[in-house]
Amino acid sequence: MTDVLTIESLSAGYGEALVLAGISLRIREGTALALLGRNGMGKTTLINSIIGVTRRFAGTIHLDGRDVTGLRPDQRAGAGIGWVPQERNIFRSLTVEENMTAVARPGPWTLARIYELFPRLGERRRNLGNQLSGGEQQMLAVGRALVLNPRVLLLDEPLEGLAPLLVAELLSALRRIVRQEGVAAIVVEQNARKILNLTDRAAILERGAIVHEADSATLKAGPGILESYLGVTDTSARRGEKPPHQ
C-alpha cells in the first residue's frame, strides 16, 4: 500500500496563535487513523489544516505524492481531500439528492452507490435536508463527501449525538468505505473505544503535538495509555461513555 496523505512537520494555527507544532503523519491507502485527544488539544485544527482553512507556519502536506500545501480549500477538495465536518454542513433547503448532485465529481462514487451504502438516503432522496433526523443528516454529510470521489476522507466526530443503532450502521458503512473501497480516512472521535474497532492506527494529540502513536489494537489491549492521556478507564470504555471534558 502506498501513502495517500503525508504530513511533514506541520505547524499551524489561527492568526498569530500557534495551535499545532511539528505534526508528522502518514496515512496509507485503505487504512484509517483515529485522531484522539481531550477537547482543545488541536484535533479539529489538524483537520482544518489539512483542508486548508488555517494559517500554516511551517511544514508540508502531500496527497498521492503531490504537494498540496499551497492549494486553496476548493483545490484540495478537487485533488481528493473529502471532509465531513462536525456541523455536517448540509444544504437544509435542498433535497437529499440535490445536496449530492450539487457537489458531485466524476468517479466510482455515484448517487446509486451512495443509496446502496445508505438505503435510508435512497428512501428519503426527495426530502429536504431539514426534514432528516440527525443520523440521516450525518449519512448525507458522508455521502456528500464521497460523491467528490476523494482519496482521503476526514471525519470530525461523526458519531456524536447518534443513537446506538445509527452508530453501528455508520461504523459499518465507514468500515466498508475503508476496507473494501480503499479510501483512506482520518477520524476524530471522543469515544476512543468505538472508533478503535474501525481504525488501523491511532495518534493522540496533546497541546497541539502528537504525544503517542500506535496500532489501534495495541491501544485497545493496553488501556493504560488511553487512561493516561484521555481519562478513559476500562470500565467506562466498555459502557461506551465519553471521556470527561477537561
Side-chain angles (χ1 to χ4, degrees):
M1 291 183 291
T2 59
D3 290 334
V4 174
L5 185 69
T6 306
I7 302 169
E8 293 285 354
S9 304
L10 180 65
S11 296
Y14 306 96
E16 298 300 319
L18 181 67
V19 179
L20 304 176
I23 299 289
S24 293
L25 285 171
R26 293 176 182 270
I27 294 84
R28 292 187 170 184
E29 185 177 26
T31 67
L33 172 81
L35 198 57
L36 308 175
R38 290 188 172 97
N39 287 346
M41 292 300 175
K43 303 184 302 296
T44 295
T45 299
L46 178 53
I47 296 295
N48 288 343
S49 298
I50 297 170
I51 66 172
V53 295
T54 61
R55 179 183 177 186
R56 181 181 62 89
F57 293 92
T60 60
I61 301 173
H62 286 77
L63 182 69
D64 282 328
R66 175 189 177 189
D67 190 346
V68 298
T69 311
L71 297 186
R72 302 188 309 264
D74 62 304
Q75 293 173 322
R76 296 189 191 199
I81 296 178
W83 177 46
V84 181
Q86 188 175 5
E87 300 82 7
R88 297 168 186 154
N89 286 6
I90 64 169
F91 296 125
R92 295 177 178 273
S93 60
L94 297 183
T95 66
V96 166
E97 191 150 307
E98 289 168 342
N99 260 276
M100 292 188 285
T101 56
V103 298
R105 293 176 180 269
W109 284 105
T110 62
L111 285 178
R113 293 197 67 204
I114 300 300
Y115 293 148
E116 191 262 326
L117 181 69
F118 295 121
R120 290 169 183 258
L121 294 184
E123 295 166 2
R124 291 158 176 75
R125 59 197 299 170
R126 304 203 184 282
N127 286 69
L128 299 179
N130 61 10
Q131 296 174 324
L132 305 180
S133 69
E136 290 163 353
Q137 288 182 11
Q138 189 63 277
M139 292 174 190
L140 179 55
V142 174
R144 276 171 48 86
L146 286 176
V147 294
L148 284 166
N149 282 283
R151 292 285 289 137
V152 61
L153 192 60
L154 313 175
L155 302 108
D156 197 350
E157 302 213 23
L159 308 181
E160 183 180 29
L162 300 186
L165 186 62
L166 290 173
V167 167
E169 191 172 340
L170 190 58
L171 284 175
S172 176
L174 293 177
R175 188 171 290 108
R176 172 180 163 182
I177 291 165
V178 174
R179 298 284 178 257
Q180 297 180 28
E181 308 297 338
V183 179
I186 297 179
V187 188
V188 174
E189 183 52 52
Q190 286 287 339
N191 194 321
R193 290 284 175 163
K194 284 186 178 179
I195 210 63
L196 289 175
N197 287 325
L198 167 71
T199 57
D200 302 276
R201 292 187 62 77
I204 299 175
L205 264 65
E206 191 167 278
R207 295 184 178 87
I210 295 176
V211 293
H212 191 82
E213 189 175 358
D215 291 340
S216 297
T218 301
L219 281 180
K220 283 187 62 183
I225 295 293
L226 293 178
E227 184 174 353
S228 174
Y229 287 112
L230 308 180
V232 176
T233 65
D234 203 37
T235 302
S236 67
R238 282 197 300 267
R239 291 200 303 263
E241 297 174 0
K242 289 187 177 181
H245 290 190
Q246 297 185 20

